[in-house]
Structure formats: C-alpha cells, structure tokens
Amino acid sequence: RASAELPCLRRKRGAPTAMGLFFCGGASSSLSSKVAGVSTGLGMLWGMLYVLGFQKKAVKEWLSVHAQVAKLLVKHELEAQAATKLAWRDRLRRFGELVFLCSIERVRLLEVARARRLYPEDSSACYRLNPLKHVRTHRQLSQHQKSPKQEVKDMMMKHARAASVPVVREVVLVGGGHAHVHVVRMLGMEPVPGVRVTLISKDIETPYSGMLPGHVAGFYSRDECHVDLQKLARFARVRVVKGEVVRVDWKNKKVLFKGDDRPPVPYDVLSLNVGITPDRVTEAVTPVKPIAKFSKAWDDLLETKIKNWGSGSLGKNRRYDVVVVGGGAGGVELALAMRNRVREELRKLGKSPDLARFSLLTRGDRILSSHSEGVRICMERALRDRQVEVVANCEALEVKESLAGGPLGGGGGGHGTVSGTPPSKKTLACRFAWAPEKVRELPFDECIWCTQAAAPWFLRSSGLATDDAGFLRVDEFQRVGLAASEDEDQDAVLTKSRAELGIFAVGDCATVDGYPRPKAGVFAVMAGMALYQNVVAKILEQPLTPHFPQKSFLGLVGLGDGDCVASRGLLAFQAPWLWDLKDWIDRKWMWQYTHGLPDLTLADDDPADIFESMTPTSSGESSSKRQKKKTVFDAAPGGLELLKKSPMRCGGCGAKVGATTLARAMSAMPRPPPRSEKEEEIYKVLVGVDAPDDGAVVAYNNNNNNNNASGGTPLIHSVDFFRSFADDPYLLGRVAANHALSDCEAMGAKPATALAIAVLPYGSDRVVEHDLLALMRGVRKTLDDAGCELVGGHTCEGSEMSVGLSVTGVVVVDPKNKASANTDAATKQLLSKGGLRPGDVLVLTKALGTGCILAADMRAKASWPAVEKTYESMLQSNKAAADVLASHDCSACTDVTGFGLVGHLAEMCRASEGAAVDLDLKAVPLLPTAQDLAAAGLFSSLQPDNLRAKRAVKNHSTLVAEASPVDVAKYSLLFDPQTAGGLLATVNARDAHSTIHRLKAAGFQHAAIIGNVASANDPNAFPASITVRF
C-alpha cells in the first residue's frame, strides 16, 4: 500500500523487494534501500499488531476456520486410504479433488463467520456478501462495491437512457432455464439502448433443479427453490410472454406459439434454453422433467393422496408402492428424498411410516454408472440402510392395467421383486436382462419417471441441426445451425448457417459438438455468463466469446435426511457437512435472482439524481457544481414530490385522473348551448354529463314519420382509455377491451360495435407493426368472444403504449313484450347507479386488489401467482354476472374501476339522492396477497386521490384509530383502483343468497354480500354516508 502511494518505493523490474532487503540484509550496499526496507518491515509489523489488537475476533475466526478445514482434510484422506487402495497417481488425483472440495468449504465457513459477526440478526447475509465466481454480476459491473441505493439509481439511470431511444433490435429468449435467468439479470443491470428483450416461457415460476430433491425432502419451500420470472423480468425491464413455442420460423425470424390467437414474435437474436421433455411416458406416471409439472404433482400427492393412505376398502394395512424409474444420480437422490418426506408426513398424520414402500428401477446392473466405484458403494449402502429396494437389470416398458396381484404379476420369486404387494390399479410392464423373453408386471400406486428425457420436438421440426437424440448441435460460441438436406454437406451448412442465423442454445436442449456432457443443470449455470456476452456481441456485431463445458464437476448428492455424498473424479465420501455446503451453494445461487435483486423502491427516495443524470452538463462544468445546481423542481411548490412519483406512475385504471380533480374540471365547463327543435327530432340525450352514469344513453329517431326522438332507439355510448400496465401487447389488448365492455354490461346493455385508438412508441417499422398487430389481436379476441364488432379506429405515436375503445351498446328488446320497443320502456330495462332501496343488500362479484398488485408488480414486489390471479380476474367478462343480476330484483348497478369501491359506492349514493350504507369489511373479497402488499405500503399511484373519498365514510377516523393493522390494510383496499373490476349491485334481500349461488355457478367464485342499504333518498345522508363495520 505504501509502495502504491509513494513512487520512490516502487520496485523496478529485476530489483530486490524491500522485504527481501529487510530480511536478507546485505543485498544492496545502498543505505537508502536499507532504510526503505526497514521502514516497510516496521510498517508491516505495525499493521499486524493493529490487526491483532483491533480485529481479534476476525483473526480468531480465521484461525478457527482453517484449523477446522485442516482437520476435515486429514480425516477424510485417512478414511479414504483405509477404505480403498489406489496407485500413488490416483491417490494424488483424489487428494487434489479433496483439497478442492475443502477449499470451497473454507470459503463457506469464512463467509458464514463474517456474516454472523457483521450481521448477527440477518440469516441471509452469508448468501449476499460475495457472489459465486461463475455468477459475476456485481464484480463484472463495477470495481468498487456500491451501496444498494446507489446501485439501483445507476441502474434506473441506464434504463431511463435506454428507454429514451427507439427500439430497433429484438432479442427473444425462449425458456426460463438457468442460463436465461442470468442473461435477464445481466441485461437488467446493463441494458442495451435500442434493444427490447422478450422472455417466453410456459411456466413463469421456474424451478432450480439443484434444489428439487431438497424441496421434495421438505428442506425448502416452493418459493425458496423457484425463480419468479415475472419479478426478475420486472426488475430487468424485460417483457414476459407466457406461452408455448411450437416452431421457430428462421426464414422470417419469428417464433410461433401454440394456438391461433397470439401472433408470432419477431426476433433479431434468438436464444433457446427450453430444457428437455419426458420420453415414453403416459398420464399414469409422473415425469421429473419438466420440473414444473413434477412439482405440481408432488404437491398434489402430499396434500391429497397421502391423507388417504391406509384407509379405504383395503384397510389400515394397505401398502402404498412408489416406484422411481431411473438409476442415475437424479433418480437415486429423488427416491431417498421422497422416502424421507413421505415417512415424516405419515408420522404427522398418526399413521405408520411403513405404509409407503419405495423401489428404484435401473436398466443397468448397478446404479450410478457414470460415477466412480466409491460413489456407487456409498449410495448403495444409503439405499439399503433406508430400505429403498433396488431392482437392477430392469427395463421399464409401459404402463398397463393390473392383470393379477402379487409381485411382478404373480411371477413370484424373481430377482429384485417387491414382495407382498396387494392388487394395484396400475402396473408397470418390465423386461429383465436375466429373462428378456418374458415381460413381467410390477404393481405400483405412484410411478416417478427419472430416466433420460428427450429434446422438445419443435427443435428438429423447425429445421435446426440436431444430433441423433434430437438435441441441438451448437459450436463453442453456443450458435445453432441448420439441418442439411440429403444432398448437402452437413458441416458446410452448419458453418455457414451458424454465422447467419443469430440463434443460440444452451442447457439440456443443446449439445456442444466435440464436448458431450451429461444433462445436468451445472452446465447451463456455467454457460450463463458466456451466453450473455455472446447475445450482446451478436446485437452489436462484435466478436463472440467461446465457451467450453467443463470436463468434470462437483456432485453433491443428498440422502434426504441432511446427509450427503460427494462425487468428483475418484473422490467419494459421505458426511453431514457436505449437505451444509450444498445448501450454501444452492441458496447463494438462488439469492442472485430472488431476494438479492436490487430493491426498485430505493430509487423513489431521491429521484432528483435520476432527473439530473438525464440533463446534459455544460461544457467545462464540473460534476460537483452540477450536483449543487438547483432545478425547476426545487423551486416549484411540491415539485420534488411530483418528481418522486413520476417514475412509478401506474397504468390501467390506476392512470386515471383523480375524482376530485375531474369533478372540479368538469364543473368549470360551460353548459352546452340549447339544441334546436330539429336537432331534438333527430336525437335526444337521455343520460349525459348532467347525471353521469357508466355510459351515456342517447335516443335516435329511426322513424321518419315520428317527429319525436324520444320514440327512437336508445343507444349506450362509453369510452375507456389507459396507459399500458403490461409489457405484453396481446394481453394488454385483451384486458383493455374487457374493461371497455364492462360499462355497457353494467348497464344491462349488449355491446354492439367498438372503435379503437392505440398509441405506440416510436421504433422500427417491424417493431411497431408487431406491437400493433399483437395489441389489436388481443382486442379482437375479447370483442369476438363478447359478440362486439370492431368497426374502426385510430393510431398515433407516443412515448409509451396506450389503448382505448369507444363502445356502442344496444338495449336487448324482449320480443314477447311489444311495449319494450318503446324508448321509455327500453330505457327502463337498463340498470343505473341510482335506485338504491332501503333493505337491499350490496353484492360484489369480483375480488379487490388489482391496483395494489399491479403497482407492486411494477416494483418487482408481487409474486407471479398473485399477478396471474389478477390477470385472470381482469380477463373475466362481467357479461354473465350482469345477466344473473338482471334476472333478479336488481335495483342499481355499476362496475368497480378506477375510483375504487368506496368511490363508486359514493357515486351510487349520490345518484340515489343521498343514501346511508353499511359495509362489512370482513365480507369484502380480496385477491391473493393484496392485503399483505397493502400492509407493506405498496399502492397504486391513484390511491392518494381515491383516499379523498374517505369523507363519505362516516366512521373513517374511528376505524383508522381503533382497528387492527390487518383491518386497516384491508380498509385501504376499499379505495384501490380496479382495472376490469367486478360489478357492485344492490338486490332484494330475499334474493340475495340465490343471487350469490348463481354468480358462483357462473364462475364468479369471489362473489359475496358485502353490506346493506340503510336508507335512500335521504337528505340527511346526501351525498353519501358509508359506515364500515370492522
């Protein structure tokens, strides 16, 4: 450190060091060199004394860890020498592997000790102190450690700059594999201006394969071993599309989806990380791959099937046979994990753990054929000790209906049989190596398929080059080529097409030419950084980075009970501390993509820095002067507060102007000029801005002989328009159309026609064309389902995507009632906001919380299950609910949208000339996690404006002061702006329960009675008097 600060102490090439001079002496006759050496030595001695004096605890930890590691090293080396006799070369190789393993354990112990010392109350500190070497996110991006707040600000500045330029290139990532999650995170930290990234995946919660056995054994919850791609993508500003890809159109550079509704997604650079699919399986067995499907099946087994074990027609002695097919490391580890978890669950239920029996089928004569002999011995002993029966030399063929009871179809006495099994509904047809001419049947209750899976079929059918097993052939740059025809040279076609296609592939779906490797998640993890570099290099037309998969890797195979076996080369031993090491490695990797993501809400604290970063500096102006320079936001009253809110303004109905601001603006509008008698003959406004409802009602004179428009046909007009809240334009179009149709449906009218308006960000023609097509396909999908015809529209460019529709509805005239053809009679069929009657009950058809969840989703704080339920709610049409309400004695109805439940209920009270309403807070349905997010303070940007409606709540102050925090959080959601929300209606109390029953039958599972009308047409309650019971 001194030599770095003092040039005179820097050593020239070939000169002796100062420490060498100090300890050796006489190396130079120069007095100045000796003085420098003595000074340096004394400085180092003082530094050591300082460390020993003030860092005693750290030094003690360091010494303790190294002593512990040395003890482990000696212990396991002596045990290995006693267990197996190897040649001295093999002994050296094995010892080298043991040193490598102990070095990792040393790092773990040091990090755990440091985390406990620095952050004693933070149990996750040991996962975030230092990233793993192959996950170099932080270390690559900056040389100096930044604070979390500064890291988020820097990232937001980069995203702001990237968003300020038009999109000209498209990167599409198909699959949510281990490599792609790293690419997404890196692109979030370092966005590329002008590039839009789209992640396409069938499952938005993608499991980490390394933690699956631990999850099965009960060591990890579902959330702990799954990466939420929605959260990750929101953090990285990456568009997410939930869908299944069925073909890659490499000629037109498009990705095609299953089904005809969603249009293809174009790409300039494509990456495939789609994993593998089960091979030769039926509905009767549960394949391990894809892992997401297995995870759901496992949850179902624990939650439903296990509770019925030992009961039924076979009585308490009924055995439940679980068969795992596959003798590799995955099958062995999974069998042990399942056995431990199932026995534990049976004990909790007060049942005998021996009710469940486990068998492992392998085609070879022994398990773990690709591992060393020492590993096989360890795992065979573990299976034997835990009573998992191994059936060797057994090839599983197919599943059949049970023909006979007993072991292996009643053959009896066979090699590796499962004895004493009662008749089962399903049997597994097997062929044994010692009797290949005869197929025997193995009864089972649950069969887990853990053999080698196949590549997705669309890879080969798309014309891409694959090997004999169907896996993509890639080169050292991870590039995919085309399959050659019979008369073409495959190598020449591959070389040329790999350079031109712009398609990459990693993970289990690909095989590197010349480097065959087993299908293991570690190779996808290690390929993630190289893939990120190559994708960016391909976009920028720069040289690619080669990546060669490692020859060997450390395998830590869990035994399901906290014990573990290490496997690397000739190294093989069993120890409990290996499970702690495996747990640390897995959690550390997961931390980078889950809880370790930067907190986007930190950027809300001081948005002026982000604004200043976008402001160009004057020439010659120093950064310090620039930081002190005031902006217009400092001078304007409330300017900084507005700036703070601007980056996270909500879309959907959360983007509406507040009700108070809207009312003030509309009240200042001049009254419209009176219309002439001739105009009155043409049309008449029955419901307009003077008495607003969900839609305007206008009667048109359709009879030339009738001089009064009141006798014409009444039409309902409504309009909705909002900013995007979803990155997927197809999904945005569907929700926007459903939201726009809701106004007509709430009034009991039939949507007939619609005009659309779309605002699209400026970009290349190809990008704009796709976005417009996807947006309008989504709109058309919803309109077509509702029987509403799109008759025109308008488009324009803007800073962000927005969409709106103007809908015209008609009153459905009852053909049996001729009087209903009259305008007055037809208008009476419509439902309105007014008309509350004392004694009626309030019915809400959908759960609340869309605004809160979408706001949390913007900040990468909402989980995918909650977001998925929110989208399902927003896509559910109100048409069926409106029909149910119209068939009952419904007196008033409206849809709950931007102003929240309280805001729209207050409108109903005002339209009823003043009404008093009692609201039951406990009865109000909420979407999953909405209450937790509200308690955490995650609200829509429209929430403060909606809270002004609290003056309509009679007991607001009492509730806030006396209610529990849980009730206060739920109460705040009564003001939450809803996008495509449900209907709020009043029905006769006698029909209330019948109405709820029919609504639930129509698919509105959250429909509930939430209150009652105490009085109506009440001047003392004008405009609204709402009492919330809590």
Side-chain angles (χ1 to χ4, degrees), residues 69-86 91 94-96 98-99 102 571-573:
V69 172
K71 183 178 179 181
L72 290 175
L73 185 64
V74 173
K75 173 188 175 183
H76 292 298
E77 176 60 21
L78 293 177
E79 290 177 350
Q81 292 182 15
T84 55
K85 301 298 182 182
L86 298 175
R91 287 177 59 185
R94 183 183 62 190
F95 183 72
L98 181 59
V99 170
C102 289
L571 180 68
F573 68 92

Side-chain angles (χ1 to χ4, degrees), residues 65 100-116 122-135 208 210-211 214 219-220 224 554 556 562 564 576-592 594:
V65 166
F100 167 77
L101 179 61
C102 289
S103 68
I104 302 177
E105 175 66 3
R106 167 187 167 273
V107 174
R108 183 189 76 85
L109 292 174
L110 286 173
E111 286 197 13
V112 170
R114 181 174 174 232
R116 288 174 179 171
D122 187 358
S123 60
S124 62
C126 62
Y127 309 127
R128 59 179 171 83
L129 285 179
N130 297 297
L132 294 169
K133 288 185 178 181
H134 54 274
V135 185
Y208 175 43
M211 299 178 77
F219 294 112
Y220 307 120
E224 287 178 319
L554 173 63
L556 296 174
C564 195
W577 66 267
L578 291 172
W579 173 257
D580 296 332
L581 178 62
K582 173 180 171 58
D583 176 71
W584 174 76
I585 294 175
D586 291 339
R587 288 182 183 272
K588 202 171 184 64
W589 187 86
M590 283 290 293
W591 178 264
Q592 298 292 319
T594 53

Side-chain angles (χ1 to χ4, degrees), residues 207-369:
Y208 175 43
S209 58
M211 299 178 77
L212 176 67
H215 168 58
V216 170
F219 294 112
Y220 307 120
S221 66
R222 178 180 173 82
D223 291 340
E224 287 178 319
C225 63
H226 283 73
V227 176
D228 192 327
L229 296 180
Q230 179 73 11
K231 280 187 179 181
L232 180 63
R234 278 299 194 182
F235 149 77
R237 300 296 190 265
V238 168
R239 183 171 63 173
V240 175
V241 174
K242 187 177 187 295
E244 181 178 357
V245 173
V246 295
R247 189 162 72 90
V248 176
D249 182 0
W250 51 267
K251 292 182 179 179
N252 299 308
K253 290 202 166 186
K254 292 183 179 180
V255 174
L256 280 66
F257 294 91
K258 184 177 182 180
D260 299 328
D261 295 332
R262 183 184 287 275
V265 172
Y267 68 85
D268 294 290
V269 176
L270 175 68
S271 178
L272 302 169
N273 187 200
V274 293
I276 49 183
T277 58
D279 186 23
R280 293 191 308 162
V281 299
T282 65
E283 293 295 329
V285 302
T286 302
V288 175
K289 296 290 183 77
I291 297 177
K293 183 177 180 181
F294 169 79
S295 182
K296 293 178 181 178
W298 174 248
D299 291 341
D300 177 64
L301 184 142
L302 291 179
E303 294 172 3
T304 58
K305 296 181 180 179
I306 194 173
K307 294 181 180 179
N308 299 323
W309 290 6
S311 60
S313 59
L314 294 175
K316 293 184 178 181
N317 294 325
R318 166 70 160 93
R319 296 297 182 93
Y320 200 92
D321 286 305
V322 180
V323 175
V324 178
V325 179
V332 173
E333 189 173 15
L334 195 62
L336 291 169
M338 293 177 65
R339 182 256 180 197
N340 183 73
R341 179 70 179 278
V342 167
R343 290 177 66 87
E344 183 64 27
E345 293 297 325
L346 287 173
R347 289 191 188 97
K348 291 180 181 178
L349 294 173
K351 300 180 180 181
S352 172
D354 296 329
L355 285 175
R357 295 185 301 184
F358 290 82
S359 303
L360 180 70
L361 272 61
T362 179
R363 184 185 297 182
D365 55 352
R366 295 184 68 183
I367 60 173
L368 301 171
S369 58

